[in-house]
Amino acid sequence: MKPTRIAVTGAAGRISYSLLFRIAAGDLLGPDQPVILQLLEVEPMRKATEGVGLELKDCAFPLLQDLIFSCDPEIAFAEAELVFLVGAQPRGPGMARKDLLEVNAGIFAAQGRALNQVAARDAKILVVGNPVNTNALIAIRNAPDLDPKNFAAMTRLDHNRAVSLLAEKCQVPVAEVSRITVWGNHSATQFPDLIHAQVKGQPALEQVGWDWYEKEFIPTVQRRGEAIIALSGKSSAASAAHAALEHMRSWVFGTPPGDWVSMAVISDGSYGITEGLVYSFPVTVTNGQYRIVEDLAIDEFCRRYLAMTERELLEEREAVKDLL
Ligand code: NAD
Ligand code: LMR
């Protein structure tokens, strides 16, 4: 079978240390699909990346057909079909993700240009490096020959956090939770929506109550990344790698009937969100193409949250306008 070319940036970093091994083991594309990993790092991390490369080889993964490493994005992205843009600085204690814009934004302009030149024309490109929504917007604008729908930013970790918290509260297996949406920015303004969510096929809110929803659930999901940094001193890594895998699996293999996932994608104006912003929506996927779920009822409560997170994204866009 023809191997799939998968590019991963930030290959010597913490997320990649989990992500690369799981891709090579078949957790992304299944046990029959060979892969070629194309790693990108910065020059000072060359030796560290070579070390990761030796470990990947030492696993003797049957599916890992080739391993390419470069500090040149045009080599690492050549003909890549699936791309994980992980390489970027993480935040530390006391920082907001948007504080990273100044240091990380330039990376996504350069990588957008390289993807534009050499990636497969139907590549699926997932931005994981923070702040994800605006970094994805920068990459899109710097890749004018690629369809903006080739790009997405990761809110799947927030989505998974919401699923897990709700399942725990209702004391049901996570598989009983459906129709969760995280709307907007991957930041503390995100809107984790239980209005449309279900537990065992019944409205979630009826089972948990408004008080818990507003006072516990929303702020816990919004601030989970921060809580992990406060406890461990480092940002999430294994859960982020898992979310990246799941996001890409949904994008490649589709979403289950009757359910959807959260993906930050280019807004087409759905739900009144400014066209062209990268905003997290509920999406379904069929044949590798995502569609924003239409016609969910948006009441005043939802509208206020949707607008708040949109406002923050507009401010972020303004801050990087020179790169767009
Ligand atoms: P890390 O510091 O461990 O690794 C980042 C790696 O990226 C480093 O090895 C660095 O050398 C490399 N890098 C920097 N600039 C690069 C470039 N131009 N090209 C290629 N590689 C480059 O960080 P991490 O913990 O792996 O996190 C990576 C990013 O993911 C951070 O921005 C973090 O905030 C973000 N993150 C996002 C989510 C999410 O839910 N969207 C979750 C967790 C982390
Ligand atoms: C997360 O949500 O865990 C990541 O975005 C890392 C962070 O900075 O919070």
Side-chain angles (χ1 to χ4, degrees):
M1 200 188 283
K2 184 175 163 284
T4 304
R5 291 183 174 274
I6 304 174
V8 180
T9 73
R14 292 181 69 245
I15 293 176
S16 290
Y17 197 63
S18 180
L19 181 62
L20 292 170
F21 292 83
R22 292 194 56 194
I23 294 173
D27 287 359
L28 176 62
L29 296 177
D32 300 319
Q33 178 58 54
V35 296
I36 296 176
L37 281 173
Q38 307 188 166
L39 312 184
L40 181 71
E41 255 296 348
V42 291
E43 192 56 50
M45 298 303 280
R46 177 178 285 279
K47 285 199 170 140
T49 314
E50 284 171 4
V52 174
L54 291 188
E55 281 206 72
L56 279 162
K57 287 184 179 165
D58 291 349
C59 292
F61 288 118
L63 295 172
L64 184 56
Q65 202 157 101
D66 199 2
L67 186 61
I68 293 161
F69 165 54
S70 181
C71 296
D72 177 349
E74 292 206 12
I75 295 175
F77 294 154
E79 294 173 52
E81 298 156 83
L82 303 179
V83 181
F84 293 87
L85 298 182
V86 181
Q89 198 170 302
R91 66 175 165 160
M95 291 173 76
R97 295 183 189 96
K98 65 182 164 201
D99 297 340
L100 294 168
L101 254 188
E102 205 172 315
V103 18
N104 287 340
I107 296 173
F108 293 86
Q111 293 182 358
R113 289 194 292 274
L115 288 162
N116 195 51
Q117 293 304 319
V118 300
R121 297 300 87 181
D122 60 351
K124 291 180 166 49
I125 301 159
L126 173 62
V127 175
V128 177
N130 276 317
V132 290
N133 300 57
T134 300
N135 287 339
L137 178 64
I138 294 167
I140 288 170
R141 292 287 194 89
N142 283 276
D145 302 332
L146 293 174
D147 186 337
K149 291 187 82 173
N150 290 22
F151 291 82
M154 188 168 95
T155 50
R156 184 59 169 267
L157 180 53
D158 313 283
H159 180 104
N160 288 348
R161 288 166 173 162
V163 169
S164 168
L165 277 168
L166 180 59
E168 192 178 12
K169 172 75 176 168
C170 296
Q171 301 207 311
V172 298
V174 289
E176 299 286 3
V177 172
S178 59
R179 302 193 178 184
I180 287 278
T181 310
V182 171
W183 300 82
N185 200 2
H186 173 59
S187 77
T189 66
Q190 66 182 253
F191 174 43
D193 172 359
L194 288 193
I195 315 272
H196 303 96
Q198 297 184 342
V199 175
K200 290 189 161 181
Q202 299 303 314
L205 262 181
E206 286 174 13
Q207 300 171 63
V208 297
W210 269 96
D211 205 48
W212 181 79
Y213 176 43
E214 281 194 82
K215 295 198 181 124
E216 295 279 334
F217 180 83
I218 293 180
T220 303
V221 178
Q222 286 177 329
R223 302 215 164 258
R224 189 65 149 204
E226 212 173 295
I228 290 163
I229 293 168
L231 287 168
S232 69
K234 296 183 184 125
S235 66
S236 60
S239 58
H242 180 70
L245 275 183
E246 285 212 316
H247 177 122
M248 204 57 107
R249 280 180 62 80
S250 298
W251 204 354
V252 171
F253 296 114
T255 45
D259 202 2
W260 59 66
V261 294
S262 306
M263 278 172 59
V265 297
I266 192 102
S267 169
D268 58 1
S270 292
Y271 298 98
I273 301 305
T274 307
E275 222 176 306
L277 276 188
V278 174
Y279 191 97
S280 185
F281 290 101
V283 305
T284 54
V285 182
T286 36
N287 300 324
Q289 305 295 319
Y290 72 78
R291 282 175 72 108
I292 296 172
V293 175
E294 289 173 359
D295 299 329
L296 294 178
I298 300 296
D299 62 11
E300 262 318 294
F301 177 86
C302 294
R303 175 68 50 209
R304 197 155 37 85
Y305 274 101
L306 261 58
M308 203 182 336
T309 190
E310 179 189 25
R311 220 165 19 249
E312 184 182 43
L313 283 168
L314 288 166
E315 284 163 16
E316 287 185 21
R317 184 175 75 175
E318 180 61 22
V320 299
K321 61 175 190 282
D322 293 348
L323 293 173
L324 302 178

